Amino acid sequence: GAGVSQTPSNKVTEKGKYVELRCDPISGHTALYWYRQSLGQGPEFLIYFQGTGAADDSGLPNDRFFAVRPEGSVSTLKIQRTERGDSAVYLCASSPTGQYQETQYFGPGTRLLVL
Amino acid sequence: AQKITQTQPGMFVQEKEAVTLDCTYDTSDQSYGLFWYKQPSSGEMIFLIYQGSYDEQNATEGRYSLNFQKARKSANLVISASQLGDSAMYFCAIPDSWGKLQFGAGTQVVVTP
């Protein structure tokens, strides 16, 4: 079946602009995670959705970052007033129910570059 | 809170040889698991292997095996018979109770002919 997909694959924007990153999880997966990976580092957690609700948003760095999952499938990560420090790869992952022992399947990521 | 440490930033291994990637962890959970992922230069995180703290036998998946030593809080990945396609970054990760993964810094593996 289809894996996790993310669009766009690359996004270049200017400082101060607004961007939206989209994640389409594996069909039927209720758990959806967003991570951010800076160059040379491991991914860092941003936010976790269980169904439509954000169960844990403790990783969002500040209030410029917001994410939604209105119908419990596709999720959008929104970044307002982008800064150069937001440049990174944004990874999305999904798992069947969110139990800790379940494998998370990752999308290919969106490479965001803020000029 | 969980903590993951990967102390080897990079390793070279010759084709067909085995390589061991180190991972130590710290958690206060009684029941937990440990994942290893591979990230080639294309960027996608590929699941390799998982073991739960309650599993008595070390996990194996093809050429990948976990050397899980709970007393030492160590979960090393062994890749046997290395292939050129194994060249990639390798991350170990530990989930919290929500499934949120805490990743290590990763180890870059380069397989040489």
Side-chain angles (χ1 to χ4, degrees), chain B residues 29-42:
Chain B
D29 293 339
Q30 293 299 308
S31 185
Y32 55 91
L34 209 298
F35 291 89
W36 276 92
Y37 282 86
K38 170 185 178 181
Q39 188 175 44
S41 56
S42 59

Side-chain angles (χ1 to χ4, degrees), chain A residues 68-100:
Chain A
V68 295
R69 194 185 184 199
E71 296 177 359
S73 55
V74 171
S75 175
T76 305
L77 178 66
K78 309 180 181 197
I79 311 174
Q80 298 178 320
R81 305 183 303 280
T82 51
E83 299 178 356
R84 292 195 180 88
D86 299 335
S87 297
V89 176
Y90 290 81
L91 295 166
C92 175
S94 72
S95 69
T97 67
Q99 294 184 63
Y100 76 87

